[in-house]
């Protein structure tokens, strides 16, 4: 997968924005940043995923703020961007006839040391000594390192923070306007807002001993529309010379007061080792291994380490249609993602992450239910349920796609499918991970007894529509899954189940209900809802994946064949990409169009794969659609939520669900094709 070249950078000059797919992600499992292929960090929230943004040029080219390191605008150059092997350290390379420079971006990850534990009453009777892994201090730093590889290269460095979603004013102070050779102080610039204070540290890594020493001289600059000053500098690097920039909190008592080359070299080495050791735990050895490994590394970046929560995406309000209103905040943890997340983490060998995620979800479904027993559909990364939706009208949005929203109004929606995904996750965790506890089982019983009272009611579906509630077929399928997994769990573990007969009766009643009301004899296909007439919805592709229906059942095969037709012919597939539903025919209360859904396309691949076990023609189609879909990733293997009709990525990026569905499709497709060989 080659990186797009410099011709892409000129597109910012036309629109002021880079294409959504022209970014790479770096992070430390607390926060993250999007680094453009032109060397500009255009999105970063600080200090956590759901904190207000510091850089947000992605959503307003004039007010949003950015941190750019790139050759002068008048210079033509070729750009290549890649991750260093088996890591989340991003390298952007500027190539010109006169010289080549590497820009390396990362958030440090600490190494762990094994420490012998003190003897306890339980261990005193033995000579054996236990040791535990203790993590070193996590440096909450954004590190940007530039090094000239060949010839001579000029670079412009521009730092324009915009605190509190570009709503907060800040004061900029030059602590060291010039960074002379041999300077022991690294603190160079401070940016002070009401809630956050940051400092920029600079260190000359290589070149101070040279006759011509690279110089760093910042000056303050004000930009129209921004509420505080930024800083700019111009540097010239010759072969072998290198300079590092570190952005971190401005606090009085840093453990590492001054940043040095040795400190940064050690942090980079420890970070490289951390990511290499982590991805080496992956059990996946099949086809498309590089793609699967990159997806796993991205999913790890979306994990909030203190709680184990995994966010849906690290961004907010990147549009699903350019100029449209479908702009949402995805920096939260959805219950819906639980079964897919637990399944992938356990099957890929990441038991610690699965345990942490399960503990987070378990705490939520045991303690966060309403007095009636209802479960919220999403949580913050700390497990809170208050997520008010606010429009930031001062931001213009990506390429004028307003409004820009933070928070998520769907948090209060009725979406009954979450009970199926939750129970499926618990069942899979019990099967592939650890046995569920008694407290968890009691909570499961209470949840299913509550679901007995609401399963006949309409809801707002997996797609979080903002119109009238309906009896959505997908929701009904997942309610069937909820009772099915509860019954299986009770049977497998011989757990007491006072309402077993009622659960069994309801499970069967839901099945009959779906086959009668969720299927149209007119188009011979499953439909979106009981009230939608003949409207298709690709979410039904999940049915054989959760064992609701066999993948070779004629009803499902006819549905899949219809989904594979083009929208003009009544289907949902165009250029091998699958749409959720026809937005022109479905009133979802949002308006506007959207792109094809990455996740739904991978679901189609997996459904075809399972059908291919019984008819090989479907397996051939699955491989072709999967390979076609991979071509729509960006140059780093990242997928956003959607793909536009023009082939560009749309929506928040990278999206966890897209990458979870990719891994699952690759895993099952590899097994099926291996079996056929």
């Amino acid at each position: 997968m080659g990186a797009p070249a410099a011709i892409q950078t000129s597109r910012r000059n036309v629109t002021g924005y880079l294409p959504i797919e022209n970014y790479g992600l770096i992070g430390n499992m607390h926060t993250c940043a999007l680094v453009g292929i032109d060397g500009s960090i255009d999105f970063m929230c600080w200090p956590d995923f759901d904190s207000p943004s510091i850089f947000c040029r992605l959503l307003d080219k004039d007010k949003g703020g950015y941190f750019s390191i790139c050759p002068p605008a008048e210079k033509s150059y070729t750009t290549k961007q890649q991750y260093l092997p088996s890591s989340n350290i991003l390298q952007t390379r500027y190539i010109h006839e006169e010289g080549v420079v590497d820009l390396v971006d990362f958030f440090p990850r600490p190494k762990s040391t094994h420490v012998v534990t003190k003897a306890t009453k339980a261990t005193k009777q033995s000579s054996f000594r236990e040791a535990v892994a203790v993590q070193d201090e996590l440096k909450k730093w954004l590190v940007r390192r530039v090094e000239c590889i060949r010839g001579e290269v000029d670079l412009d460095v521009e730092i324009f923070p915009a605190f509190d979603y570009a709503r907060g004013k800040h004061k900029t102070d030059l602590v060291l306007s010039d960074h002379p050779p041999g300077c022991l102080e690294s603190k160079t610039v401070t940016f002070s807002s009401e809630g956050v204070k940051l400092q920029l540290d600079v260190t000359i890594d290589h070149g101070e001993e040279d006759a011509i020493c690279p110089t760093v001289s910042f000056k303050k600059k004000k930009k129209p529309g921004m509420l505080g000053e930024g800083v700019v500098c111009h540097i010239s690097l010759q072969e072998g010379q290198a300079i590092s920039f570190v952005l971190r909190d401005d606090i009085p008592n840093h453990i590492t007061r001054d940043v040095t080359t040795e400190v940064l070299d050690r942090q980079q080495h420890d970070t490289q080792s951390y990511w290499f050791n982590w991805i080496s735990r992956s059990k996946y050895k099949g086809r498309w291994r590089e793609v699967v490994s990159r997806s796993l590394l991205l999913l790890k970046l979306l994990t909030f380490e203190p709680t184990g929560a995994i966010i849906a995406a690290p961004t907010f309000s990147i549009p699903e249609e350019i100029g449209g209103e479908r702009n949402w905040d995805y920096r939260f943890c959805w219950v819906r993602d639980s079964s897919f997340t637990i399944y992938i983490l356990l099957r890929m060998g990441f038991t610690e992450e699965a345990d942490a995620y399960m503990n987070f979800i378990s705490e939520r479904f045991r303690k966060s239910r309403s007095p009636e027993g209802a479960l919220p559909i999403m949580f913050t990364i700390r497990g809170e349920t208050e997520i008010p939706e606010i429009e930031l009208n001062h931001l213009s949005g990506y390429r004028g796609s307003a409004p820009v929203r933070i928070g998520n109004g769907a948090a209060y929606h009725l979406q009954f499918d979450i009970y199926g995904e939750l129970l499926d996750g618990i069942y899979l965790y019990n099967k592939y991970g650890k046995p569920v506890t008694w407290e968890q089982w009691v909570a499961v019983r209470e949840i299913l007894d509550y679901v007995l009272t609401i399963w006949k009611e309409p809801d707002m579906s997996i797609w979080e529509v903002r119109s009238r509630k309906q009896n959505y077929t997908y929701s009904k399928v997942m309610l069937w899954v909820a009772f099915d997994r509860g019954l299986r769990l009770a049977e497998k573990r011989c757990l007491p189940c006072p309402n077993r007969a009622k659960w069994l009766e309801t499970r069967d009643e839901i099945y009959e209900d779906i086959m009668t009301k969720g299927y149209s004899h007119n188009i011979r296909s499953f439909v979106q809802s009981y009230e939608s007439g003949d409207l298709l919805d690709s979410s039904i592709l999940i049915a054989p994946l959760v064992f609701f229906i066999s993948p070779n059942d004629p009803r499902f095969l006819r549905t899949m064949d219809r989904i594979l037709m083009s929208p003009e012919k009544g289907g949902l597939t165009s250029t091998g990409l699958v749409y959720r539903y026809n937005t022109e025919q479905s009133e979802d209360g949002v308006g506007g169009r959207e792109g094809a859904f990455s996740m739904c396309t991978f679901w189609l691949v997996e459904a075809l794969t399972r059908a291919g076990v019984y008819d090989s023609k479907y397996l051939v189609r699955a491989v072709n659609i999967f390979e076609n879909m991979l071509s729509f990733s960006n140059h780093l293997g990242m997928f956003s939520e959607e793909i536009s009709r023009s082939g560009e990525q749309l929506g928040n990026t990278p999206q966890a669900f897209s990458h979870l569905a990719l891994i699952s499709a690759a895993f099952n497709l590899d097994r099926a094709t291996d079996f056929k060989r």
Side-chain angles (χ1 to χ4, degrees):
M1 289 176 286
I7 189 169
Q8 293 283 12
T9 63
S10 66
R11 296 184 64 175
R12 189 190 288 274
N13 298 332
V14 177
T15 66
Y17 298 91
L18 283 181
I20 292 166
E21 64 263 29
N22 276 19
Y23 288 94
L25 186 74
I26 57 172
N28 61 358
M29 291 149 58
H30 288 253
T31 190
C32 63
L34 287 177
V35 185
I37 195 165
D38 63 351
S40 179
I41 292 180
D42 290 344
F43 184 90
M44 184 178 79
C45 295
W46 190 274
D48 296 324
F49 290 117
D50 59 353
S51 301
S53 61
I54 302 291
F55 304 124
C56 198
R57 179 157 67 163
L58 187 61
L59 296 175
D60 193 308
K61 62 184 175 63
D62 300 316
K63 301 175 185 175
Y66 62 95
F67 183 170
S68 176
I69 302 176
C70 66
E74 63 273 10
K75 284 273 189 182
S76 61
Y77 53 91
T78 298
T79 319
K80 298 291 181 181
Q81 195 175 61
Q82 64 179 7
Y83 285 105
L84 297 186
S86 301
S87 81
N88 279 316
I89 298 176
L90 190 65
Q91 178 193 71
T92 307
R93 176 168 286 183
Y94 304 112
I95 305 170
H96 187 265
E97 287 186 3
E98 297 172 1
V100 177
V101 68
D102 280 350
L103 167 62
V104 172
D105 291 308
F106 67 96
F107 286 89
R109 283 296 308 172
K111 65 179 181 181
S112 294
T113 307
H114 279 86
V115 177
V116 176
T117 57
K118 291 183 178 180
T120 64
K121 289 182 179 179
T123 60
K124 275 182 179 178
Q125 299 177 25
S126 170
S127 300
F128 181 77
R129 291 293 175 262
E130 295 180 0
V132 293
V134 177
Q135 185 175 283
D136 290 358
E137 181 210 4
L138 173 67
K139 302 289 189 186
K140 293 187 177 181
W141 298 354
L142 167 64
V143 180
R144 314 201 72 189
R145 313 189 78 181
V146 289
E147 181 175 5
C148 186
I149 304 302
R150 169 174 63 79
E152 186 174 347
V153 177
D154 291 342
L155 293 172
D156 287 333
V157 182
E158 299 184 0
I159 309 172
F160 285 88
F163 292 87
D164 190 25
Y165 303 110
R167 296 179 298 188
K169 295 180 179 180
H170 71 269
K171 183 174 179 288
T172 302
D173 290 310
L174 293 176
V175 180
L176 280 175
S177 56
D178 294 308
H179 199 287
C183 180
L184 299 177
E185 300 275 338
S186 66
K187 188 175 180 178
T188 306
V189 185
T190 62
F191 305 99
S192 303
S193 71
E194 186 176 338
V196 179
K197 294 182 179 181
L198 297 177
Q199 71 180 61
L200 178 73
D201 292 84
V202 177
T203 176
I204 297 175
D205 296 325
H206 302 292
E208 286 196 347
E209 68 282 359
D210 298 344
I212 303 173
C213 177
T215 58
V216 179
S217 181
F218 278 105
K219 60 181 180 180
K220 293 195 282 188
K221 185 176 180 180
K222 187 80 167 71
K223 281 203 166 188
M226 302 204 71
L227 301 179
E229 293 177 310
V231 294
V232 298
C233 83
H234 181 83
I235 55 177
S236 295
L237 294 178
Q238 295 183 355
E239 185 174 330
Q241 294 180 340
I243 299 176
S244 294
F245 303 88
V246 176
L247 195 64
R248 56 178 177 162
D249 285 320
D250 182 11
I251 56 176
N253 298 309
H254 281 295
I255 293 176
T256 306
R257 180 180 178 274
D258 290 298
V259 177
T260 64
T261 301
E262 292 73 22
V263 167
L264 289 178
D265 284 345
R266 187 166 62 251
Q267 289 295 325
Q268 185 171 340
H269 175 267
D270 289 347
T271 303
Q272 288 170 191
S273 299
Y274 174 85
W275 290 118
F276 176 82
N277 292 334
W278 186 82
I279 196 60
S280 296
R281 289 162 44 200
S282 172
K283 289 181 178 178
Y284 188 77
K285 309 298 180 190
R287 296 170 67 185
W288 309 288
R289 185 177 174 185
E290 186 178 336
V291 175
V292 169
S293 292
R294 177 50 52 196
S295 292
L296 288 166
L297 283 162
L298 288 169
L299 286 170
K300 183 66 171 172
L301 282 180
L302 302 184
T303 304
F304 185 58
E305 188 175 40
T307 64
I310 297 177
I311 55 174
T315 55
F316 59 90
S317 282
I318 301 181
E320 297 173 16
E321 177 192 18
I322 302 301
E325 298 181 12
R326 295 172 179 264
N327 318 315
W328 318 109
D329 190 347
Y330 278 14
R331 298 172 298 163
F332 308 107
C333 181
W334 268 255
V335 173
R336 179 173 297 114
D337 297 2
S338 58
S339 66
F340 305 98
T341 303
I342 289 168
Y343 174 73
I344 292 303
L345 290 175
L346 289 173
R347 295 312 298 265
M348 296 297 110
F350 297 102
T351 53
E352 289 179 19
E353 287 74 13
D355 289 346
Y357 183 79
M358 187 63 192
N359 288 339
F360 174 79
I361 290 293
S362 178
E363 194 75 6
R364 305 287 79 75
F365 74 71
R366 285 170 52 212
K367 298 181 179 178
S368 298
R369 301 198 304 274
S370 71
E372 297 78 25
L375 189 69
I377 70 161
M378 68 175 81
F379 304 94
T380 69
I381 54 178
R382 294 165 199 83
E384 301 147 347
T385 55
E386 288 297 316
I387 313 176
E389 187 172 287
I390 302 168
E391 294 185 1
L392 302 178
N393 295 317
H394 64 289
L395 295 177
S396 61
Y398 178 80
R399 290 172 59 183
S401 305
V404 172
R405 297 182 178 95
I406 56 172
N408 201 305
Y412 309 105
H413 280 188
L414 290 176
Q415 296 173 24
F416 296 152
D417 64 286
I418 64 169
Y419 298 103
E421 284 111 0
L422 174 64
L423 266 293
D424 195 35
I426 295 169
Y427 174 79
L428 290 168
Y429 185 73
N430 182 82
K431 182 177 181 179
Y432 296 113
K434 297 177 180 177
V436 298
T437 65
W438 171 250
E439 284 75 15
Q440 288 171 334
W441 173 245
V442 170
V444 164
R445 291 194 317 198
E446 292 170 354
I447 289 169
L448 285 177
D449 287 345
Y450 167 73
V451 175
L452 285 172
T453 67
I454 53 98
W455 76 266
K456 292 184 179 180
E457 297 176 15
D459 74 335
M460 303 178 93
S461 93
I462 179 178
W463 305 134
E464 300 180 344
V465 299
R466 302 201 171 194
S467 58
R468 67 189 177 98
K469 290 182 277 189
Q470 298 181 52
N471 288 282
Y472 287 94
T473 307
Y474 177 88
S475 296
K476 300 301 183 187
V477 168
M478 296 313 293
L479 286 168
W480 176 90
V481 168
F483 287 109
D484 179 73
R485 300 311 189 263
L487 288 163
R488 287 196 199 194
L489 195 54
E491 187 74 23
K492 191 173 185 68
R493 291 283 307 282
C494 301
L495 293 166
C497 187
N499 273 340
R500 186 192 307 265
K502 190 62 180 173
W503 291 2
L504 183 59
E505 179 188 344
T506 304
R507 185 191 69 175
D508 293 347
E509 190 177 347
I510 294 172
Y511 202 104
E512 294 272 7
D513 201 48
I514 294 168
M515 291 310 227
T516 304
K517 301 175 184 175
Y519 182 83
S520 168
H521 290 279
N522 185 36
I523 62 171
R524 305 178 78 199
S525 168
F526 287 102
V527 290
Q528 185 179 64
S529 74
Y530 296 176
E531 299 87 356
S532 66
D534 293 341
L535 192 66
L536 270 183
D537 192 309
S538 62
S539 62
I540 194 61
L541 291 168
I542 200 73
L545 279 57
V546 294
F547 306 107
F548 172 80
I549 194 170
S550 65
N552 66 328
D553 188 289
R555 282 194 171 198
F556 181 75
L557 291 177
R558 286 194 294 266
T559 301
M560 193 163 57
D561 288 340
R562 178 165 284 275
I563 288 173
L564 279 163
M565 295 167 64
S566 68
E568 293 76 19
K569 295 181 179 178
L572 293 173
T573 305
S574 177
T575 329
L577 306 175
V578 181
Y579 291 83
R580 297 190 297 177
Y581 50 83
N582 191 323
T583 54
E584 294 178 3
Q585 297 176 6
S586 176
E587 294 183 11
D588 56 15
V590 182
R593 296 195 311 175
E594 64 180 19
F597 239 63
S598 303
M599 176 187 72
C600 293
T601 306
F602 289 124
W603 280 1
L604 174 62
V605 170
E606 193 162 346
L608 286 165
T609 300
R610 292 175 188 250
V613 173
Y614 306 99
D615 187 340
S616 59
K617 72 178 181 183
Y618 291 110
L619 201 57
V620 175
R621 292 180 191 175
V623 172
N624 278 278
I625 291 175
F626 185 69
E627 293 279 6
N628 176 71
M629 184 59 186
L630 293 184
S631 72
F632 286 93
S633 75
N634 79 348
H635 56 291
L636 299 168
M638 272 171 48
F639 280 95
S640 65
E641 185 176 32
E642 300 181 15
I643 310 292
S644 72
R645 290 175 181 269
S646 61
E648 289 187 322
Q649 293 193 5
L650 290 172
N652 289 305
T653 188
Q655 197 203 31
F657 228 147
S658 298
H659 286 279
L660 287 166
L662 182 159
I663 297 167
S664 184
F667 176 69
N668 286 286
L669 188 55
D670 176 69
R671 286 200 305 180
T673 51
D674 187 57
F675 174 75
K676 287 293 181 183
R677 287 199 295 268

